[in-house]
Amino acid sequence: MKNSSKKYRPFPPVGLKDRTWPDATIGHAPRWCSVDLRDGNQALVTPMNLEQKLKMFRLLLDVGFKEIEVGFPSAAEVEFDFVRHLIEHNLIPDDVTIQVLTQAREHLIEATCRSLVGAKRAIVHLYNSTSELQRRVVFKMDRKAVRDLAVKGTEWVRQYSKKYLEGTDVRFEYSPESFMGTELDFAVEVCDAVVDTWNPNKGEKVIINLPNTVEVATPNIFADQVEWFLRNFKARDKAIVSVHCHNDRGTGVAATEFSLMAGADRVEGTLFGNGERTGNVDI
């Protein structure tokens, strides 16, 4: 029998010899964002219908979440209709901000912004994959093409926000999808370019979300990645840095806590860790 124990190479360490996060203490709560209605919903064999999503939304309000990712409005009619129902029936409390997810594709971004017409406040969450593996195998794009897509997507969010969302307090979030598999210098390059392109107003901050999309390494390595990123991220003062950890190794909570010790400000996750594939961090 072939020995498969040597099939995989060890995940390369970051090489952060002067890391500070192991001595840090979590002294205050992060900003919490529920993604139950989006990432959690993707875990279900039969996704929630509008009535079920409303019931879950009310539960999340009762729990006390102030930021809730309510769906992927360009992905399905029920997703779009749910966002419209929340807005048109005035179901979003004044102190709660809804968040919606979109890929970096123009027609999807336009539909996403249309779904938010009339909202008081909203976070538009843009993503595209930056990982070396997905660039090479899935998208067949080089670094420049991926960076340009992130910048163009940011421009489209600004363009369609101006077109459809006058009077809405629009906040912008960007995720370099599969951050954990992205060369750190490239992740920093893309995120700096995105923040420069969005050009936040004075006092406004962009949310930069670092996803541990597939938990390919131990939590300490993810913490090293986050600390390295924060040290080298030029736009740090213009950003809230968020993490979105999955649970492939069963260590999503540890990876999240270590990343907070490394300097992250915000956590995206779900109740009881429900989520696509292996689940999200259990918040």
Side-chain angles (χ1 to χ4, degrees), residues 187-205:
V188 167
E189 177 187 337
V190 172
C191 291
D192 273 324
V194 162
V195 176
D196 285 346
T197 302
W198 183 258
N199 191 22
N201 297 322
K202 186 176 181 180
E204 176 193 353
K205 291 193 175 185

Side-chain angles (χ1 to χ4, degrees), residues 102-104 106 109-110 112-113 123-127 150-163 165 170-173 198:
T102 181
Q103 293 171 316
E106 184 174 9
I109 291 169
E110 180 177 15
T112 300
C113 290
I123 298 168
V124 178
H125 182 182
L126 174 77
Y127 76 95
V151 167
K152 192 64 182 175
T154 304
E155 291 173 347
W156 284 326
V157 173
R158 180 68 85 185
Q159 173 187 336
Y160 288 109
S161 294
K162 287 181 177 178
K163 180 175 180 179
L165 300 176
V170 177
R171 297 301 168 104
F172 179 61
E173 175 173 351
W198 183 258

Side-chain angles (χ1 to χ4, degrees), residues 31-39 53 57 60 65-74 79 82-83 86-87 92 96-102 112-113 115-116 119-127 168-175 206-211 240 242-244 266-269 280:
R31 286 174 56 163
W32 301 104
C33 177
S34 160
V35 294
D36 293 84
L37 287 165
R38 197 274 302 171
D39 212 345
K53 285 173 76 80
F57 182 72
L60 296 171
F65 284 103
K66 301 304 180 187
E67 295 180 1
I68 301 174
E69 190 167 81
V70 294
F72 202 147
S74 65
E79 296 282 290
F82 176 59
V83 179
L86 292 178
I87 295 167
I92 306 163
V96 171
T97 303
I98 60 169
Q99 177 172 305
V100 289
L101 184 71
T102 181
T112 300
C113 290
S115 78
L116 294 170
K120 294 176 183 175
R121 271 195 319 280
I123 298 168
V124 178
H125 182 182
L126 174 77
Y127 76 95
T168 298
D169 181 5
V170 177
R171 297 301 168 104
F172 179 61
E173 175 173 351
Y174 174 71
S175 287
V206 172
I207 300 170
I208 294 295
N209 185 56
L210 305 178
I240 295 160
S242 176
V243 290
H244 181 121
R266 180 179 183 267
V267 172
E268 294 188 349
N280 287 71

